[in-house]
Amino acid sequence: MKMEPITATPLLRVDNLTKRYGSRIGCADVSFDLWPGEVLGIVGESGSGKSTLLSCLAGHLTPDEGQVIFDTAGGPRDVLRMTEPERRRLSRTDWAFVHQNPRDGLRMGVTAGGNVGERLMAVGARHYGDIRDRATDWLGRVEIAAERIDDRPTAFSGGMQQRLQIARNLVTGPRLVFMDEPTGGLDVSVQARLLDLLRGLVREMGLSAIIVTHDLAVVRLLADRLMVMKSGRVVEQGLTDQVLDDPQHPYTQLLVSSVLQV
Amino acid sequence: MIRVSNLSKTFTLHNQGAAAIPVMEGATLTVASGECVGLTGASGAGKSTLMRMIWGNYLAASGSIKVGDTDVATAEPRQIIALRRATLGYVSQFLRVVPRVPTLDVVAEPLRVLGAPADEARSHAATLLTRLNIPERLWSLSPTTFSGGEQQRVNIARGFAHPYPALLLDEPTASLDAANRETVLALIEEAKGRGAAILGIFHDEGARARVCDRLVDVTAFTPKAVA
């Protein structure tokens, strides 16, 4: 039985995170805890600051204020105060980032196997046979046939590219995955398969994930908790079905009531 | 096992002139282990609202909702997530699933979340689906393509997959034929027998009379200003 005990330490503790672009606010005063095994959804319309927030958390942007405390193997550390090599090491071992466009997260000129193997080599794997075996195993887990291992991602469909990106990111067994619109730009039927895959991986690997999306149906199925952003600020957060079924903030009420029912 | 006291609820509709609608006041009830309590009251009286507040997808304005040791009214989201995983089950009137996931896996999911091995969870799911007369040839298909009655039975199978100590049932026998209704009532009786505390909404009076030990009329919790 792999039961996640209710632990006392959050995996990630974000405190008053603020990022300004000149006089404009990217995101402001964002605070939340993410616990091991939890999936947090961040929703909001374009320009609400959700991607800025994700970039600040993942270390792609430097925020102006605040703390991002990650529970590293050596105890909780403020990621923003780490040295660049320390942060890069963390982003290879403990973190993963799944981009909306697989082209941003894959090396398009390298084979599928190479894309997965590269991540392993970055954390020290050297034995060619082992690397290839693990790459094959991961291609199977994301439902890419083993005989496609030597094909380049340019020969893959959009859905396959996205699954390959997920394999490349998860092969090193990260504890926290950042996802920026992971199902955006995919056909709904491909989206469904990807959602099921992500849910299974989160469950089996005990991953925590932060998913930015504008799709409320995606977060209802995938996220345990939800944060709603507007104009760079968090206007509401809580259990996903509570925020969607009994929204408290005027903006969330508008957002939920604007969704077309199918 | 379930102890609701002095619970109230108001909906504020910000986009309709911030209208504040009080819908519940002073709701108080208990459900002991091994007991089934039925909620009664006219349509719109607040039966489903009360049930959703216990499940935690409706926020309470005041009062407390103890399920085991957790007060759902004030608990952190992660405490409610843990409660729903192991302790509190809910069979709603609607099946909500990831599209294209096979029925067998949909029903096995609550056990998988608790760490049961895939084959064990699936074999238990198969037993329940068989009891609820979902033909085996449908197990590999997504329930989203099923008829209303079949979806309802898949929902029930999923709700009973894990032996939750507390269970919320919203119209579990609606749209079922006699044989399947009988199976669902037997499942409820078995759950009571193993000590589950069950709170249910049953429009089916025969079902209510057979499984419910007590009835609570939610009309008593309707705010005076509205009534």
Side-chain angles (χ1 to χ4, degrees), chain B:
Chain B
M1 186 67 205
I2 301 174
R3 192 174 293 274
V4 173
S5 47
N6 216 7
L7 191 63
S8 70
K9 170 77 189 157
T10 303
F11 286 109
T12 306
L13 308 176
H14 291 286
N15 299 299
Q16 293 176 38
I21 306 168
V23 294
M24 194 172 289
E25 208 172 76
T28 298
L29 67 86
T30 58
V31 187
S33 291
E35 185 183 38
C36 178
V37 173
L39 293 178
T40 61
S43 185
K47 302 184 292 294
S48 295
T49 297
L50 179 54
M51 203 167 259
R52 287 179 191 147
M53 288 168 82
I54 299 171
W55 180 241
N57 61 329
Y58 276 14
L59 283 182
S62 63
S64 77
I65 309 164
K66 294 280 286 240
V67 179
D69 296 326
T70 306
D71 184 354
V72 176
T74 55
E76 296 286 317
R78 68 187 186 111
Q79 293 173 306
I80 298 180
I81 292 164
L83 183 77
R84 288 178 181 181
R85 244 170 226 178
T87 309
L88 180 64
Y90 178 35
V91 177
S92 71
Q93 290 190 67
F94 307 100
L95 181 68
R96 220 188 289 261
V97 294
V98 177
R100 304 196 1 174
V101 174
T103 295
L104 193 64
D105 291 338
V106 166
V107 176
E109 171 82 13
L111 294 169
R112 298 282 285 130
V113 165
L114 283 166
D119 49 350
E120 201 176 285
R122 285 206 185 105
S123 101
H124 188 62
T127 310
L128 278 162
L129 288 169
T130 306
R131 280 189 72 181
L132 286 157
N133 296 309
I134 303 288
E136 191 167 348
R137 64 189 156 80
L138 298 181
W139 296 358
S140 59
L141 306 177
S142 163
T144 49
T145 58
F146 292 3
S147 74
E150 284 166 344
Q151 290 197 7
Q152 171 72 351
R153 281 178 276 145
V154 171
N155 214 10
I156 290 166
R158 183 169 62 165
F160 281 88
H162 170 65
Y164 298 102
L167 204 48
L168 306 172
L169 306 174
D170 193 349
E171 291 271 20
T173 55
S175 73
L176 296 184
D177 60 32
N180 287 311
R181 175 176 173 278
E182 183 56 37
T183 304
V184 172
L185 294 177
L187 284 170
I188 295 172
E189 284 166 345
E190 286 164 27
K192 281 170 69 177
R194 63 167 168 77
I198 301 175
L199 185 65
I201 300 172
F202 304 89
H203 283 138
D204 171 351
E205 281 177 32
R208 195 195 295 161
R210 177 162 147 198
V211 296
C212 292
D213 301 291
R214 280 186 301 124
L215 299 177
V216 171
D217 186 347
V218 300
T219 314
F221 312 141
T222 307
K224 304 291 170 285
V226 177

Side-chain angles (χ1 to χ4, degrees), chain A residues 14-225:
Chain A
V14 177
D15 227 4
N16 284 307
L17 201 70
T18 298
K19 170 71 185 171
R20 296 185 202 90
Y21 298 108
S23 60
R24 253 178 351 96
I25 286 172
C27 62
D29 303 324
V30 177
S31 300
F32 66 90
D33 291 338
L34 182 73
W35 300 84
E38 232 176 29
V39 178
L40 173 70
I42 304 178
V43 296
E45 58 202 7
S46 307
S48 61
K50 53 193 197 304
S51 293
T52 295
L53 173 61
L54 196 70
S55 298
C56 286
L57 296 175
H60 300 168
L61 273 178
T62 308
D64 297 305
E65 286 163 37
Q67 290 186 314
V68 178
I69 313 281
F70 183 74
D71 188 25
T72 67
R77 294 273 315 270
D78 187 348
V79 176
L80 304 175
R81 274 159 195 78
M82 283 183 180
T83 62
E84 190 50 38
E86 279 181 312
R87 195 154 50 206
R88 214 174 311 136
R89 167 126 200 104
L90 197 65
S91 73
R92 279 199 297 251
T93 53
D94 288 34
W95 291 3
F97 196 103
V98 176
H99 296 265
Q100 172 173 8
N101 188 339
R103 288 168 180 270
D104 295 334
L106 290 173
R107 294 226 293 150
M108 298 306 284
V110 174
T111 64
N115 263 288
V116 179
E118 196 177 49
R119 272 281 288 203
L120 286 169
M121 286 164 67
V123 294
R126 286 293 173 266
H127 187 278
Y128 177 79
D130 287 349
I131 293 171
R132 196 171 167 90
D133 286 350
R134 284 184 65 188
T136 310
D137 173 48
W138 265 93
L139 291 180
R141 287 211 223 180
V142 298
E143 300 171 27
I144 295 174
E147 74 241 29
R148 303 296 301 268
I149 191 167
D150 295 319
D151 291 351
R152 288 174 192 204
T154 42
F156 288 179
S157 67
M160 276 174 81
Q161 286 180 0
Q162 194 56 297
R163 296 201 301 276
L164 179 61
Q165 191 192 183
I166 288 167
R168 172 179 162 97
N169 270 284
L170 298 189
V171 66
T172 48
R175 295 156 68 209
L176 174 59
V177 186
F178 301 101
M179 299 191 209
D180 190 4
E181 301 274 5
T183 61
L186 297 176
D187 287 337
V188 282
S189 60
V190 179
Q191 263 191 30
R193 193 160 159 208
L194 196 68
L195 280 177
D196 181 39
L197 173 74
L198 287 173
R199 250 173 48 141
L201 292 172
V202 164
R203 185 183 58 211
E204 279 152 32
M205 301 175 69
L207 289 176
S208 301
I210 299 179
I211 299 182
V212 162
T213 178
H214 62 267
D215 191 333
L216 298 183
V218 166
V219 287
R220 186 184 282 274
L221 293 172
L222 215 50
D224 300 303
R225 276 167 52 209

